[in-house]
Amino acid sequence: MKKVLGLVVFNCLFTSSVALAQTSLLVVFPPTNYQTSAEKIFFIGTAPTDGQVLINNRPITCSKAGHFSPSFPLQLGENVFQVRYQNQELEIKVTRLSTQPELPHGLGFAKDSLTPGVDIARLPGELICFGAVPPPQATVSVKLANQTIPLSPQPPQAQLPANSSVLTGINQPSTSTTTPRKYQGCTIVSNVADLGQPQFSFTLNGQTITQTGKGRIQILDAAQLTVVEVTATSGVTRTGSSTDYSRLTPLPKGTRATVTAKEGDWLRLDYGAWINSKETKIIPDAVPPQTVISSVGYRQLAGATEMIFPLQMAVPVSVQQSDRTLTLTLYNTTAQTETIRLDDNSLISRLDWQQVTPQQVKYTFNLKNLQQWGYKLRYDNTTMVLTLRHPPHLEHRKRLPLSGIKIVLDPGHGGKESGASGPTGYLEKDVNLTVSKLLRDELVQRGATVMMTREDDRDVSLVERQEMISKEEPAIALSIHYNSLPDDGDAEKTKGFGTFWYHPQSHSPAVFLHNYVVEKLRKPSYGVFWNNLALTRPSIAPSVLLELGFMSNPYEFEEVVNPEEQKKMAKTLADGVTEWFKALK
């Protein structure tokens, strides 16, 4: 035996005296005929403890209970693995897919390499760029209406890792000398026009190949731009024209903005953000939205302050939080503000404003407390309403430490969404629910009012979970999960407690709970992550997602399924929540 990460590791060979109920070989991941672009893959499974498991004739290491998760490199194309235990054998095929453009066997451009690959529209004078991957040494150009744009070979560009790669610690850019060279070129068109589809051509060894691009090119009339209105309750805006780009502050329903560019189904709005057209409707004959703002008022609610911004029309907005400030930015807005009413209250010390640009006004709320408790944006017709929540009211007259505190617990996954799977096939959704119920009971014993997004094995969509948090307006929302890894992670060596947050108001409870659990339970720290997850996104309350351990680690999994360890985790989390609230008094 040998030591790995402080755990005792055995070959999958034991005496029958320590054998468990497992009676046959089981591999729960990967399934056969699995496809991935990763350079390696891990196997999760279990076997009886009185025999040896081999993968492609290589003995693998297991936990005391017979669980395993070794990793193996993958070659491009099909990889066949033989997993054997005594007279049982499983064959699992894993295909590694190439992420690089592949040239056809005959003369032609690489598949899907012509860009733009969707219809685009731009303002006059904006740069329009084209790209293609032809055979080496070709002479390449693109014809757009009456002009021909040469495309030149570009130096190899570093390939950025996926966002998920930070979860494995392998998040450095990579370059490949075998990647086909990409040819690129750009142009500017000053006149309004429908330029049609570009014609890409290359010449090599006296042969010319021409292919029509998929996307049409249109130059918009800046005097007749389309105006759209957000129809979604919370319109998702991004930094670019796909879901790969980062999210920005969602736009409340009713927001109007001018469209200054199009790319496939995506629209660029006048203040720079992109939104999917499916979350909007066109307002015929509307002029570009512009507004002035004069007075700013407020109203005091039980547990919240509402700031009232009367506008002529609903314009785009964004919110930025930092220590002791919250900044609301109104776009396409000019201030005529002379009067602001804001009486002294327990939350806000002062409201400042600034006309940052001719079209952009910032209102900065200086706050009395370091911890923020949530906010909500909405339009009442054309009046912007910003609701700022006050600290929860702790009922000191009661002896229980969490009296007066409402908490939403979200047992992750459920129903058809099973989440990660452990070596025995035990599903994350089930252990999430078990531990969440234990945590609920611990919190209730301390006086908290606890609402759960599910109390049995049922389908609850991410939107429904978010809506419940928004409706309940808890003091804190906790989403309970157990972890796994991307395909190229090291499942055998990666373990520990991880915490995820998104809004700055959630940073304090995320770090506090993380450090508390790691210290009290002597668990490894997987890390604290800023992450734009569905259950960290609610702005109405500090919202934290907790990954209590790894389903994919064969040694930590033994703790995951241990009822006593589950109770210990629930009690420690409840203690941590209690101590965090106590520290804020």
Side-chain angles (χ1 to χ4, degrees), residues 203-519:
T203 300
L204 182 65
N205 299 328
Q207 280 190 280
T208 298
I209 302 295
T210 299
Q211 185 174 333
T212 302
K214 292 182 180 179
R216 297 183 66 88
I217 312 296
Q218 182 183 6
I219 306 302
L220 300 172
D221 184 346
Q224 298 183 23
L225 296 176
T226 301
V227 173
V228 295
E229 181 177 300
V230 175
T231 55
T233 302
S234 185
V236 178
T237 57
R238 297 183 180 273
T239 56
S241 57
S242 79
T243 55
D244 292 334
Y245 287 91
S246 301
R247 287 180 180 243
L248 300 169
T249 300
L251 294 181
K253 185 176 182 179
T255 301
R256 289 191 179 186
T258 306
V259 175
T260 62
K262 300 178 184 179
E263 197 153 321
D265 291 333
W266 291 82
L267 310 176
R268 187 182 68 193
L269 304 181
D270 47 29
Y271 75 111
W274 291 78
I275 190 169
N276 194 293
S277 60
K278 296 175 183 177
E279 297 194 354
T280 69
K281 66 178 181 181
I282 295 174
I283 307 299
D285 302 322
V287 298
Q290 300 285 328
T291 185
V292 297
I293 180 168
S294 54
S295 62
V296 176
Y298 89 107
R299 53 178 171 249
Q300 195 68 52
L301 306 178
T305 296
E306 283 194 342
M307 299 302 304
I308 312 300
F309 299 86
L311 305 171
Q312 296 167 306
M313 60 179 57
V315 293
V317 296
S318 65
V319 171
Q320 183 178 13
Q321 289 177 302
S322 60
D323 290 348
R324 295 190 187 277
T325 65
L326 182 145
T327 301
L328 173 70
T329 301
L330 301 176
Y331 299 93
N332 302 328
T333 302
T334 304
Q336 293 180 349
T337 302
E338 296 291 344
T339 305
I340 296 175
R341 178 175 180 180
L342 179 60
D343 300 342
D344 186 39
N345 67 22
S346 61
L347 182 67
I348 305 167
S349 63
R350 192 178 73 249
L351 172 59
D352 300 327
W353 71 269
Q354 180 184 12
Q355 185 83 46
V356 181
T357 72
Q359 297 291 310
Q360 186 175 322
V361 185
K362 282 190 176 182
Y363 292 89
T364 300
F365 294 86
N366 299 278
L367 305 176
K368 293 182 176 179
N369 302 310
L370 187 63
Q371 177 61 43
Q372 298 181 43
W373 293 96
Y375 69 88
K376 182 162 53 176
L377 276 176
R378 73 178 191 275
Y379 271 112
D380 287 343
N381 295 317
T382 62
T383 296
M384 164 59 62
V385 180
L386 171 65
T387 303
L388 300 175
R389 297 185 64 203
H390 290 194
H393 177 59
L394 295 172
E395 299 178 11
H396 301 296
R397 67 183 182 275
K398 296 186 178 180
R399 301 172 66 181
L400 298 176
L402 293 180
S403 294
I405 297 296
K406 182 191 285 188
I407 298 172
V408 168
L409 285 185
D410 170 54
H413 306 289
K416 295 188 292 293
E417 296 293 331
S418 58
S421 179
T424 63
Y426 186 35
L427 299 176
E428 182 197 347
K429 67 174 183 176
D430 296 325
V431 67
N432 289 346
L433 184 59
T434 297
V435 174
S436 293
K437 287 182 174 179
L438 292 170
L439 176 56
R440 173 197 60 191
D441 295 345
E442 291 283 352
L443 293 169
V444 168
Q445 288 176 20
R446 291 160 174 77
T449 299
V450 179
M451 312 297 293
M452 294 182 63
T453 58
R454 66 179 181 99
E455 299 200 38
D456 52 21
D457 184 22
R458 67 176 64 191
D459 292 304
V460 185
S461 72
L462 295 176
V463 171
E464 289 174 318
R465 296 169 198 251
Q466 292 173 321
E467 288 175 345
M468 182 174 179
I469 293 172
S470 182
K471 176 184 176 183
E472 294 295 336
E473 298 189 358
I476 192 171
L478 300 176
S479 188
I480 304 301
H481 289 254
Y482 281 82
N483 219 338
S484 190
L485 285 169
D487 290 347
D488 57 353
D490 191 335
E492 198 170 51
K493 294 181 180 179
T494 305
K495 59 177 181 173
F497 187 88
T499 311
F500 295 78
W501 64 278
Y502 179 59
H503 295 289
Q505 65 197 20
S506 304
H507 181 254
S508 171
V511 173
F512 188 96
L513 290 175
H514 184 89
N515 292 343
Y516 192 90
V517 171
V518 167
E519 178 183 346

Side-chain angles (χ1 to χ4, degrees), residues 552-572:
S552 53
N553 184 286
Y555 317 106
E556 192 163 52
F557 180 73
E558 294 181 16
E559 292 182 14
V560 171
V561 298
N562 185 318
E564 292 305 314
E565 293 295 329
Q566 293 171 347
K567 292 176 184 176
K568 192 184 299 183
M569 174 62 76
K571 181 180 183 304
T572 303

Side-chain angles (χ1 to χ4, degrees), residues 87-123:
N87 63 345
Q88 300 177 56
E89 187 169 296
L90 300 173
E91 181 178 274
I92 296 175
K93 295 180 181 179
V94 179
T95 300
R96 179 183 164 194
L97 304 174
S98 174
T99 59
Q100 304 299 331
E102 296 183 18
L103 290 166
H105 294 299
L107 278 182
F109 289 102
K111 183 181 179 182
D112 298 327
S113 71
L114 304 185
T115 56
V118 295
D119 293 349
I120 70 168
R122 294 290 187 268
L123 292 172

